[in-house]
Amino acid sequence: MSSRSTLQKPDAQFLSHSNTINTECHEHQTEWTIDSGQLQTFDGKLEAANTAYAANSDLSKKNATTSEHKKATFAELKNFLGAFINTLEGNLNVPDEALARMALRPRHHHAFQPLPRPADAPVISLHAQHDEITVYASRPEHDQPTATVAPADHFGFIIRYKKEGDAGYKTVVSSRLHHTLFFEQEDEGKRVYLAAAWVNHRLEEGPWCPEISQVIS
């Protein structure tokens, strides 16, 4: 199941699914190393959506205002979950059976011919804002740095990163060509060091690109 199909469910099913994901993340926050700021954001948007849905479901109080408010809170929750679900699927601390419990798409897809390890390294660029750094990965086309194409034969890419003062690196896998890293407010001004590599469908890494850095703003 894709994050898109999760977000396009009827309202009651979507809320039930969102509550299940939220409960699982709270129960396993430490072992899955889920960012507390992300989880607090999830809590707030989910509570707002649940409250707005309940108010709009009360036939004695339902009106155009409650309907519009419900739509707005659902849109905010869906916008957040689109990125958050990708984060969960890219977080290797979240086991495959947990993804299945949350009815999220599996990481592994059966193929007739296993693909080899990627032979090239990605080119990465960064965009920083509001305690977030979004990492974009691309592949140079015919050795032209300004022209890039998506690697159709890869599952996605893996990011290796650490902040100033961290003892070691953290890693996260993304099945898309970009991934957002979330940091705490107290991390502002710290420098983050990052590198990336393509991965195949068995999550086998190719060569790593040169490490670059970015200040958390």
Side-chain angles (χ1 to χ4, degrees):
M1 178 179 294
S2 68
S3 60
R4 187 186 199 114
S5 61
T6 297
L7 304 180
Q8 291 177 344
K9 289 181 175 180
D11 289 349
Q13 293 181 31
F14 168 69
L15 271 184
S16 176
H17 195 179
S18 300
N19 281 295
T20 296
I21 295 172
N22 183 269
T23 298
E24 287 283 338
C25 289
H26 272 286
E27 290 181 354
H28 302 281
Q29 180 182 0
T30 300
E31 63 188 280
W32 294 353
T33 63
I34 296 177
D35 179 79
S36 59
Q38 274 191 291
L39 202 49
Q40 288 174 6
T41 299
F42 190 2
D43 291 342
K45 294 185 183 300
L46 181 57
E47 181 180 4
N50 278 315
T51 301
Y53 178 77
N56 194 58
S57 298
D58 186 342
L59 296 181
S60 65
K61 299 178 181 179
K62 181 177 180 179
N63 54 41
T65 300
T66 62
S67 178
E68 287 303 313
H69 182 57
K70 189 267 295 182
K71 289 179 182 178
T73 59
F74 270 55
E76 287 194 16
L77 178 58
K78 289 179 180 182
N79 184 57
F80 170 81
L81 273 179
F84 185 71
I85 289 173
N86 287 324
T87 299
L88 290 178
E89 292 167 345
N91 181 355
L92 298 184
N93 292 313
V94 182
D96 291 341
E97 56 268 25
L99 295 179
R101 283 200 310 272
M102 293 184 284
L104 300 179
R105 63 177 178 255
R107 296 189 182 97
H108 306 287
H109 302 276
H110 298 290
F112 293 106
Q113 295 293 332
L115 293 172
R117 286 178 181 269
D120 56 344
V123 174
I124 60 173
S125 59
L126 309 174
H127 177 68
Q129 64 174 3
H130 309 306
D131 304 325
E132 302 174 3
I133 297 177
T134 300
V135 185
Y136 295 88
S138 58
R139 172 190 284 170
E141 185 176 20
H142 305 305
D143 298 324
Q144 299 179 41
T146 58
T148 58
V149 294
D153 55 340
H154 297 344
F155 171 76
F157 73 111
I158 183 171
I159 303 167
R160 179 181 68 200
Y161 69 100
K162 70 173 180 178
K163 304 189 307 286
E164 285 181 287
D166 286 352
Y169 286 89
K170 296 180 180 178
T171 59
V172 62
V173 174
S174 174
S175 60
R176 306 172 71 187
L177 290 177
H178 59 86
H179 182 80
T180 300
L181 303 172
F182 297 89
F183 300 94
E184 304 291 347
Q185 189 172 7
E186 56 265 28
D187 293 327
E188 290 182 3
K190 293 183 180 180
R191 187 168 290 276
V192 181
Y193 300 89
L194 311 97
W198 297 121
V199 293
N200 62 17
H201 287 75
R202 290 176 291 177
L203 302 184
E204 295 173 325
E205 304 163 7
W208 288 88
C209 72
E211 186 171 81
I212 61 176
S213 66
Q214 173 69 50
V215 174
I216 301 170
S217 59

